[in-house]
Amino acid sequence: MSLLRRRKPINESSDSKPLLEKEEEEQHQGHDEDDDDDGNGKNKKNPSKINKKRGEKPPSPPSPPPSKWSCLDTCCWFIGCICITWWLLLFLYNAMPASFPQYVTEAITGPLPDPPGVKLKKEGLEAKHPVVFVPGIVTGGLELWEGRECAEGLFRKRLWGGTFGEVYKRPLCWVEHMSLDNETGLDPCGIRVRPVSGLVAADYFAPGYFVWAVLIANLARIGYEEKNMYMAAYDWRLSFQNTEVRDQTLSRIKSNIELLVATNGGRKVVAIPHSMGVLYFLHFMKWVEAPAPMGGGGGPDWCSKHIKAVINIGGPFLGVPKAIAGLFSAEAKDIAVARALAPGFLDNDIFQFQTLQHVMRMSRTWDSTMSMVPRGGDTIWGGLDWSPEEGYSCSKKGEQKNNTQIMDQTGAENAVCKGRSANYGRIISFGKDVAEAPSSDIERIDFRGAIKGHSAANTTCRDVWTEYHDMGFTGIKAVAEYKTYTAESTVDLLHFIAPKMMARGTAHFSYGIADNLDDPKYKHYKYWSNPLETTLPNAPDMEIFSLYGVGLPTERAYVYKLSPHAECSIPFKIDTSADDEDTCLRDGVYSVDGDETVPVLSAGFMSAKGWRGKTRFNPSGIRTYVREYNHSPPANLLEGRGTLSGAHVDIMGNFALIEDVIRLAAGASGEELGGDQVHSNIFNWSEKIKLQLDDETPVHSSR
Amino acid sequence: MASILRFRKLYYVEQAVKCSSVGFESLDQSTKIDQKLNKKEEDVNNLALGINKRKRAKEWRCIDSCCWIIGCLCTTWWLLLLLFHCWPVTLLRVPELPGPGDRLKREGLTALHPVVLVPGIVTGGLELWEGRPCADGLFRKRLWGGSFTELFKRPLCLLEHLSLHYETGLDQPGIRLRAVPGMVAADYFAPGYFVWAVLIENLAKIGYEGKNLHMAAYDWRLSFQNTEIRDHALTKLKTRIELMYITNGYKKVVVLPHSMGVIYFLHFLKWVEKPPPMGGGGGPRWCAKHIKSIMNIGPAFLGVPKAVSSLFSAEGKDASYLRAMAPGIFDSEILGLQTFEHVMRMSRTWDSIVSLMPKGGDTIWGSMDWSPKEGHVCDFSKKSHSHTSLSDNNVNNSDIKRGFRVKALAKYGRIISFGKAASVLHSSQLPTVDSKEFSRTSASLNLNISCGDVWTEYDEMNRQSIQNVAAHKAYTSTTLLDLLRLVAPKMMRRAEAHFSHGIADNLDDPKYNHYKYWSNPLETKLPDAPDMEIYCLYGVGLPTERSYVYKLSPSSRCKSIPYKIDSSVNGEENSCLRGGVYFADGDESVPVLSAGFMCAKGWRGRTRFNPSGIATYIKEYRHKPTTSLLEGRGTESGSHVDIMGNSALIEDILRIAAGATGDEIGGDRIHSDILRMSKGINLPL
């Protein structure tokens, strides 16, 4: 588009350009005369090649014109050619019928299957239940409503999502605006960044990178439109309760769901949360029934009156280990690999880059990242010597995982158990040897009491604020001395290294397991998003689905090392040199089955066991279903991100998942869908987790 | 933009490679060339010679030089672009005065009452949810609003999708076009053409954001009640207002409707208090509880004459000028263009246009020989309007033979006249054609078998009845409705189930409980909300279409529209007749009468239309043209849409939103003749 627009001024200015052209031509004349007069005067200057050529065959010059055809001219000529072809192509592209790419694709790969929307419409399905989308972390757009001077002209432009053009233009300004206040977790003074509302908030994350768009398009095929679809966009940087405090988002969602139910003939809504949206919606369900002022005052049967089903897509119910790596050292697998490939680039102080530190400082002001810290402690995630996923073996080839292999294992249950298996329970270990050694061999010095020194106070790093600077060298050392951390001690670790952040976080989130759910303290909102510390609402007709992808290696535990130069930078790093084929260790990361972000355990456990039947977490016996989608990579590039993907975000384009969602929205129940659909070991792994599910005398093995 | 940048990068690499092989000599050479260039700059005659030489040399062919030129242009363009991007943002800006938002923020104003914006006709975006095969790939793309690129690519497809069903006024089967929701619906109509954007930005300055600012987008093509039936737009608006009321600490909302949004919101006011199923069931005190004030911007309370011409012949002032300037283009049948016919067919499926037909009949708009004192001195050179001449001739307006100074006061009452003479002559001199003759003499349909594809109801009228219409010579706003019923019976049947254009004799008549009366301020009572305030904010000082001179279209081709504005008709120097259109004072779209009458008289004090005595205020904004091009559309404009960028208007709105009352912002501010005009209207109150 911009090209087209640009063409116009050129055409206009071409009025003035003929002059130039004429001048140019005159100048050629001049040159010709020069040539005649001087007798190849130019060529004397330019003695080497051209002269020779001329000398060889003077009468017919098919070769590039001598002398006059200067470099500048060639360049201009070259650009001209390219521009013309470019415009020609652009014109052709625009003149091309819109369905042309599809023809090409079909010609190459054979006819595509009908998108599920079209297929199901032919089956006669129609829009029935209104649909509510709850986007996850990161995918929702944020726009500026009030900013500092440096963000001039960005009013109501997207800072997050969209093209991210501003990130490159004014990175520091952008970081400043995206950060929240470090003390309150709310807006900094003078800056208001707000979520984009409506379906546009999260249909595409960046141009061409769909999140909800495919699902929306398919739902529209069977008759959905704005009046029975609603995107519950919220500011994903805030803690869940703060979205209500600052923006009244929860109230808005409540009012919108009520409106949807009222205007669609009393049909209950189908809620579709994705990723962190799962936790957010869990929080919402508790909030809406809790009495005001803390809650929404909807009364105890609000959920059963308004919600037909909750279809959780890729839900990190029990948190994700990735969140720890993110909080601990602002890196994940991808970044660690990038760092290993180009050492020094991300870390260098020149140009005041310090990218990671800036990112860390920014992301640590976001309360929501703390909602994803693994919950349930050692009971769920495993202790020093055991973990529920024990015996999981990844195929040798890493990424190109053969799915059939995993399927075979489902029944066999560790029959082909290797000699050693990864100790997934040790979420952070310092050094590969520590990660593998039996627990009795590890000498650990408790870090909790360690005194934080202030010796390393470094005034030059003041602008990049991470709490690491307050820790001093002794503190950092103490952290490394403890050698290895399980899920429970990681939370302590985070408390130790970032006390202020965690002080903010623990006011809004909790990571434990409830002993007695009737304890009045669980009325506080900080427990609402933890499925292990809340009861589901009293809604026996509701259905809860866990839909997620499997068959992709997912980060589960990390091998860390101390960063060599511990001055201004982050003192810990993932040890990318640690590799072990047998135990799924690659580049310092132990991986396990999952959807690339959320391990199966986190996504499936609650539906597979924690809420299955009538448990103390699910007193009204809401039916739960687990539906897994095996990842198969797209066959060729033309398919884009594939219609069979199981990856965390790409699964939103998975045809099987979309079909399930549409059927549910059109009125089917979980049974009609076919009940559970399991490819992974989730049921076996859940079995190994010893979690009290009955109401009576809760006794915990781990506590 | 990104693609260009990438492209440029690519190119520079190439350049580097090429240049390095040639070396520095070429650089020297190029500077030399530049010098020569400068020397011979003025000499133009050598062009032909140059070409000859070039041909002789055969080294520098035409195509090469073309490439070369384009290359040069592109390079300079990119250079400029690069400079533009590297330029500090602040330097590029014209140092502008702080907007009203900034100023009021410094005064200490902060957001208090939640604000609801109700856009008008045409300005709201529409996006596609389900379409025919020809609209492939446009799912959730804007068909209306935005860049309109698709309109040029596949015009017929677009027209088909924008049209509604002719019988029901709802969706055609297989097509679902829906209003874009949210603030983006009407912030910009097209890129760079703001509607609400400036106002939103200023509101944001004093603290407004998504939670206390809401755009009540609706499908403006539908009749008002149908927006509820199809999209639940009214229910949505109701819940939204209730929600904002609660979440903002029980602060009542301030509503800002614009243009047609004004009567849409009037409809909402009645709808929300009526019991279901026809209404929203909010109870009789809903408005009093939830609404602080309604600030109508450019309100079209009593309709606009423009709607008549667009329904009658699908043209406004602008279109008729165009037609006069380039005859044949719009009417040509080549390429199957027939733009007007297509546009007419489309716009006649939109019920909402009928809502803008002049309301109140002859009482308000004037009869054959009388019209409210709209003695607008038309001064097309746009100097300041002198009102002194008006005060001279306000003694007896109905007598046209009075006075020599004003030769003929325009007979605005005749909204459509055939021929200039008919628009000037006294009614007794006009041929009286009995309106009974309007009854259609069984149209012979055999004419238009060949014109099947473009279908307007004119095709069903035979030649005779078309002539008859013209013979009647002049139409007032009442007979105009009869006229439309004649020329477009189906459309009027459909639309009149949703709108009414009369004046109520007895407002307690139970028939007025029907929703078709709700959007007519002359047939409804305002809600019982004595604390509410109603504002009429509109621009004045611009010539506004008020009545038309028509002629029969010469071509008798079957598919064309048989009537046209006679754009050759011009009055004398100071007359208000220009290009077949009589002008009155207004904001270029809505005449002052329509915008101001209800606030000036109809609702002023305790009248039968306003039983609870809601306070009304008039704020007029005198149009001042922009002094320079740099100012864009100006901050002092009074025209219908540009007024949304008017600083004075924005300031008034911000003050009200921040809690001020009408008296605190200075009560009425009147520039036009509206009070005298309204006095002349004989409406029992």
Side-chain angles (χ1 to χ4, degrees), chain A residues 505-526:
Chain A
T506 42
H508 288 284
F509 300 107
S510 165
Y511 311 110
I513 299 178
D515 290 330
N516 176 14
L517 281 163
D518 297 329
D519 193 326
K521 79 167 180 177
Y522 289 115
K523 296 244 185 311
H524 192 267
Y525 58 78
K526 74 183 222 185

Side-chain angles (χ1 to χ4, degrees), chain A residues 88-101:
Chain A
L88 212 75
L89 286 175
L90 208 74
F91 177 75
L92 281 177
Y93 176 79
N94 277 320
M96 186 176 70
S99 52
F100 186 70

Side-chain angles (χ1 to χ4, degrees), chain B residues 208-515:
Chain B
Y208 281 94
E209 60 190 51
K211 68 175 171 185
N212 45 15
L213 185 60
H214 174 64
M215 174 82 76
Y218 57 99
D219 188 338
W220 47 263
R221 301 170 304 157
L222 298 182
S223 77
F224 304 152
Q225 192 68 12
N226 275 343
T227 63
E228 168 66 14
I229 290 168
R230 199 192 67 181
D231 299 336
H232 309 299
L234 296 174
T235 317
K236 261 188 209 174
L237 181 55
K238 174 174 173 249
T239 4
R240 194 56 201 238
I241 290 178
E242 285 167 354
L243 175 71
M244 291 208 293
Y245 172 70
I246 293 167
T247 54
N248 288 286
Y250 300 95
K251 292 273 178 295
K252 297 184 200 174
V253 300
V254 171
V255 186
L256 305 176
H258 174 235
S259 183
M260 190 182 80
V262 166
I263 43 181
Y264 185 73
F265 197 74
L266 206 62
H267 186 94
F268 172 80
L269 286 182
K270 293 301 286 183
W271 173 87
V272 75
E273 299 201 336
K274 283 280 181 301
M278 205 190 268
R285 297 287 296 168
W286 195 93
C287 293
K289 190 179 162 197
H290 291 95
I291 297 174
K292 180 200 178 224
S293 48
I294 304 173
M295 308 190 74
N296 303 297
I297 305 171
F301 279 120
L302 303 177
V304 286
K306 228 179 192 175
V308 176
S309 67
S310 71
L311 280 178
F312 193 58
S313 65
E315 57 188 353
K317 181 187 62 177
D318 321 320
S320 71
Y321 275 146
L322 272 181
R323 198 184 239 185
M325 283 169 63
I329 287 186
F330 287 103
D331 303 318
S332 69
E333 269 184 302
I334 320 157
L335 304 177
L337 266 163
Q338 293 198 300
T339 322
F340 276 106
E341 284 75 8
H342 280 294
V343 168
M344 172 174 240
R345 186 167 67 136
M346 175 174 76
S347 60
R348 277 196 178 178
T349 65
W350 297 344
D351 281 341
S352 58
I353 292 188
V354 181
S355 78
L356 290 172
M357 293 274 295
K359 287 170 188 157
D362 295 357
T363 320
I364 302 288
W365 293 94
S367 57
M368 295 299 265
D369 292 316
W370 171 88
S371 72
K373 296 160 195 164
E374 287 185 277
H376 172 63
V377 173
C378 300
D379 191 357
F380 289 102
S381 53
K382 286 180 182 165
K383 281 177 227 148
S384 64
H385 304 277
S386 62
H387 288 270
T388 46
S389 64
L390 288 170
S391 51
D392 291 359
N393 57 36
N394 66 357
V395 186
N396 186 358
N397 214 34
S398 56
D399 182 6
I400 55 143
K401 285 159 197 155
R402 197 204 87 77
F404 287 89
R405 271 171 302 166
V406 179
K407 284 183 180 166
L409 206 57
K411 290 184 176 301
Y412 288 120
R414 305 172 188 178
I415 289 182
I416 287 182
S417 343
F418 280 91
K420 190 188 172 190
S423 73
V424 182
L425 285 175
H426 193 264
S427 58
S428 55
Q429 291 165 272
L430 287 174
T432 49
V433 181
D434 190 7
S435 58
K436 295 290 181 292
E437 277 180 39
F438 274 11
S439 58
R440 182 176 298 227
T441 49
S442 64
S444 52
L445 290 161
N446 55 356
L447 294 167
N448 42 11
I449 295 157
S450 62
C451 354
D453 56 339
V454 177
W455 182 82
T456 61
E457 287 191 76
Y458 280 124
D459 297 338
E460 286 183 8
M461 285 172 71
N462 64 11
R463 206 63 209 155
Q464 186 55 44
S465 49
I466 286 171
Q467 300 277 10
N468 278 348
V469 166
H472 191 60
K473 292 298 182 198
Y475 297 86
T476 65
S477 55
T478 314
T479 48
L480 202 75
L481 287 170
D482 298 329
L483 171 65
L484 279 173
R485 276 179 209 125
L486 173 74
V487 299
K490 286 186 197 161
M491 175 192 76
M492 290 306 280
R493 215 175 302 135
R494 190 189 68 222
E496 292 202 316
H498 288 281
F499 298 107
S500 164
H501 299 92
I503 299 179
D505 291 329
N506 176 14
L507 278 166
D508 294 325
D509 194 328
K511 80 167 181 177
Y512 288 115
N513 283 330
H514 192 267
Y515 60 77

Side-chain angles (χ1 to χ4, degrees), chain A residues 1-3 6 9-10 13-14 17 19-34 42 45-47 54 61 65-84 86-87 94 98-99 102 121 145-146 152-153 155-156 169-170 187 192 194 197-200 203-204 213 216-227 229 244-248 251-252 255-256 259 263-264, chain B residues 1-4 7 11 14-15 18-19 22 25-26 29-30 32-33 36-37 40-41 43-44 46-47 49-51 53-54 56-60 63-78 81 85 89-90 93 105 127 129-130 136-137 139-140 149 153-154 176 178-179 181-184 187-188 197 200-201 203-211 213 229-232 235-236 239-240 243 247-248:
Chain A
M1 210 54 257
S2 55
L3 274 172
R6 197 194 48 180
I10 291 176
S13 62
S14 66
K17 282 297 168 183
L19 265 179
L20 238 178
E21 184 187 4
K22 283 158 202 164
E23 289 154 20
E24 185 56 30
E25 274 149 8
E26 282 159 30
Q27 163 241 318
H28 286 304
Q29 244 179 291
H31 273 281
D32 282 5
E33 284 157 18
D34 276 358
K42 291 268 158 62
K45 280 185 202 163
N46 218 354
R54 261 214 154 179
S67 62
K68 288 157 290 177
W69 193 275
S70 70
C71 171
L72 200 72
D73 291 338
T74 330
C75 292
C76 287
W77 176 84
F78 184 71
I79 298 176
C81 284
I82 290 180
C83 283
I84 289 173
W86 178 254
W87 287 335
N94 277 320
S99 52
Q102 205 190 333
K121 194 186 179 183
W145 278 83
E146 186 182 341
E152 177 93 17
F155 176 69
R156 285 189 57 225
K169 276 199 206 163
R170 20 191 160 170
D187 287 328
R192 281 186 292 152
R194 293 288 177 265
S197 63
L199 291 179
V200 282
D203 54 351
Y204 288 94
I216 292 171
N218 279 295
L219 282 168
R221 296 273 187 182
I222 65 161
Y224 279 93
E225 56 189 72
E226 207 77 47
K227 71 175 171 190
M229 275 199 279
E244 170 67 13
V245 171
R246 197 193 69 180
D247 298 337
Q248 283 89 40
S251 302
R252 263 202 242 181
S255 139
N256 265 302
L259 174 71
T263 55
N264 286 283
Chain B
M1 220 25 43
S3 60
I4 298 174
F7 194 49
Y11 157 67
E14 290 278 347
Q15 191 185 33
K18 290 219 166 183
C19 285
V22 184
E25 284 95 334
S26 59
Q29 208 174 316
S30 64
K32 208 173 174 187
I33 291 169
K36 280 184 181 171
L37 266 172
K40 301 186 177 181
E41 210 160 329
D43 194 2
V44 184
N46 280 351
L47 173 64
L49 209 62
I51 290 167
K53 283 243 175 185
R54 200 166 30 153
R56 185 176 51 96
K58 295 216 169 175
E59 288 158 357
W60 189 272
I63 197 157
D64 288 336
S65 49
C66 281
C67 287
W68 182 85
I69 292 160
I70 291 170
C72 278
L73 288 174
C74 288
T75 332
T76 41
W77 178 255
W78 287 333
L81 211 71
H85 277 288
V89 185
T90 43
R93 288 275 157 82
K105 191 188 177 185
E127 59 186 15
W129 279 85
E130 185 182 342
D136 216 28
F139 175 69
R140 286 189 58 223
T149 40
K153 276 201 210 166
R154 21 189 158 169
R176 281 187 290 153
R178 296 290 180 264
M183 224 73 81
V184 282
D187 55 349
Y188 288 94
I200 292 172
E201 191 164 351
L203 282 168
K205 289 262 165 64
I206 64 165
Y208 281 94
E209 60 190 51
K211 68 175 171 185
L213 185 60
I229 290 168
R230 199 192 67 181
D231 299 336
H232 309 299
T235 317
K236 261 188 209 174
T239 4
R240 194 56 201 238
L243 175 71
T247 54
N248 288 286

